[in-house]
Amino acid sequence: DSGVTQTPKHLITATGQRVTLRCSPRSGDLSVYWYQQSLDQGLQFLIQYYNGEERAKGNILERFSAQQFPDLHSELNLSSLELGDSALYFCASSVDGALGTDTQYFGPGTRLTVL
Amino acid sequence: DQQVKQNSPSLSVQEGRISILNCDYTNSMFDYFLWYKKYPAEGPTFLISISSIKDKNEDGRFTVFLNKSAKHLSLHIVPSQPGDSAVYFCAASHSNYQLIWGAGTKLIIKP
């Protein structure tokens, strides 16, 4: 158990809909990262927050947005969903947010299926 | 543009033998490399890392080798154990920028 929690575990929805994925980081970690893993692909970095502020942006679509709240939990909002958005979405957290060298601890992921 | 490539989708190794997982990269600016391990229904977990100033880093049964001239790194697991069966991801970064991940190699340890 990494200490990072993600809800829900599974989500099935229809095209055009909007969903919210939630992540609670490890106690004491200030940084949260969101990743997308499509079938048989590596992890694609979406976005990072550090202590409530956006720190870095990766391959995140304009239909997607995220935020980190004062209690440090984070939400990833996916809107106007398309079939291609079906994937595993991982949240990770780290102590201070140095992107490359800071060890990231991953949650179990949310599997999103868009029908 | 795949900057980090793991060309073997899967690898099967006998228990007790050495497992060697390979990773190639194209960006010569990468200065930090990591290996993560992932079990089904779980998120990846950090395994071992190496800075570009080194060519080897060892942690117990796990050793990572970095060949900068060939832009190649490898993870050696000796001896391989059944619990090592998992998907292994290679990742790289430069100047503390975001991690770039490979597609993963599924390692199967046969009893």
Side-chain angles (χ1 to χ4, degrees), chain A residues 35 42 45 90 99-100 104 106-107, chain B residues 32 36 43-44 93 96 98 101-102:
Chain A
Y35 290 89
F45 170 70
F90 287 104
L99 281 166
Q104 297 180 27
F106 283 78
Chain B
Y32 194 71
Y36 276 77
S93 74
N96 263 350
Q98 62 179 274
W101 296 72

Side-chain angles (χ1 to χ4, degrees), chain B residues 22-86:
Chain B
N22 294 305
C23 178
D24 296 297
Y25 61 95
T26 57
N27 189 341
S28 58
M29 299 295 291
F30 285 145
D31 56 13
Y32 194 71
F33 304 87
L34 307 92
W35 285 93
Y36 276 77
K37 174 179 174 178
K38 184 183 180 302
Y39 292 119
E42 294 182 13
T45 55
F46 171 74
L47 195 55
I48 192 168
S49 63
I50 188 166
S51 162
S52 61
I53 62 173
K54 294 186 172 183
D55 53 20
K56 177 182 171 181
N57 189 25
E58 196 170 346
D59 183 2
R61 296 186 298 114
F62 302 91
T63 303
V64 56
F65 294 92
L66 175 61
N67 183 332
K68 289 186 287 292
S69 60
K71 295 194 185 71
H72 177 84
L73 68 156
S74 60
L75 174 68
H76 292 212
I77 306 173
V78 184
S80 300
Q81 298 175 354
D84 296 329
S85 294

